[in-house]
Amino acid sequence: MNNGLNILKILIIGSIGILTSCAPLRPIAPEQEKRRVETNQNRDLKKVTGIDAWDRVLYPWIGTPYLLGGTSKNGTDCSGFTSGVYREKEGIYLPRTSGDQSKTGKSVSQRNLKVGDLIYFGEKSKVNHVGIYVGNGDFIHASTSKGVTVTPLSDSYWKPRYMGARRIL
């Protein structure tokens, strides 16, 4: 009987140890929790692109916070994101601004987009945003409100601002 009680105590103490070891050391701040939820709502890029080489480079950027002038996974703006991805994946150094990037590569029509094409947005013939086409009508970009995220080209905000695409590879 005493042996059974000792085993029960060991099981209870072990279970408590396991459960508490998985608990966060500090509570998650509301803005971090919001970003985590928004990130989890993004589509899995592997399902979107179906191309592992792009997935390995693009997926780790999702959820990166927006930072004007930023160029890393600690914080990035739209052209910092696209130039960082191309530098990491292909060793290609793109110009720093979305406007300058829109003059790089070969023009491609929207109906002929391929995964990896740079897509541009703006107003009144001035490019002010860039993203990367990931297939299935979606693009990945550094949004000022959501950080790096996947968005449909048909999105009511982005669709009327679409200005064109360029193929770098």
Side-chain angles (χ1 to χ4, degrees):
M1 173 110 171
N2 202 8
N3 247 355
L5 199 51
N6 285 338
I7 291 173
L8 183 60
K9 284 180 187 178
I10 291 170
L11 288 174
I12 291 173
I13 291 170
S15 297
I16 291 171
I18 289 171
L19 290 174
T20 57
S21 68
C22 294
L25 298 176
R26 59 189 161 116
I28 297 172
E31 62 274 6
Q32 289 174 316
E33 177 64 15
K34 183 178 180 208
R35 176 163 307 287
R36 186 180 65 78
V37 169
E38 288 172 353
T39 299
N40 288 339
Q41 289 172 350
N42 281 316
R43 296 183 193 160
D44 176 5
L45 281 176
K46 190 165 187 93
K47 292 177 188 168
V48 174
T49 68
I51 300 173
D52 290 337
W54 280 103
D55 297 336
R56 284 190 297 274
V57 176
L58 293 172
Y59 190 78
W61 285 87
I62 291 181
T64 297
Y66 182 85
L67 176 65
L68 183 62
T71 60
S72 75
K73 291 179 185 118
N74 293 324
T76 190
D77 63 15
C78 65
S79 56
F81 164 66
T82 55
S83 61
V85 166
Y86 267 85
R87 186 175 53 252
E88 184 179 335
K89 184 179 181 304
E90 300 293 334
I92 294 173
Y93 287 79
L94 296 175
R96 181 59 188 99
T97 67
S98 57
D100 288 341
Q101 287 182 15
S102 72
K103 299 169 191 162
T104 304
K106 179 183 171 188
S107 181
V108 61
S109 69
Q110 190 170 1
R111 72 176 181 275
N112 290 321
L113 287 172
K114 291 185 179 177
V115 173
D117 288 343
L118 294 180
I119 52 174
Y120 301 95
F121 302 88
E123 297 176 291
K124 298 182 181 176
S125 74
K126 183 176 182 197
V127 170
N128 59 23
H129 192 68
V130 61
I132 299 173
Y133 186 70
V134 294
N136 297 326
D138 294 333
F139 70 105
I140 186 170
H141 62 118
S143 160
T144 56
S145 61
K146 297 179 182 177
V148 177
T149 188
V150 177
T151 304
L153 280 169
S154 62
D155 179 87
S156 62
Y157 180 82
W158 294 109
K159 184 177 181 177
R161 290 168 174 79
Y162 180 86
M163 294 185 75
R166 307 289 285 188
R167 184 158 298 146
I168 306 301
L169 301 174

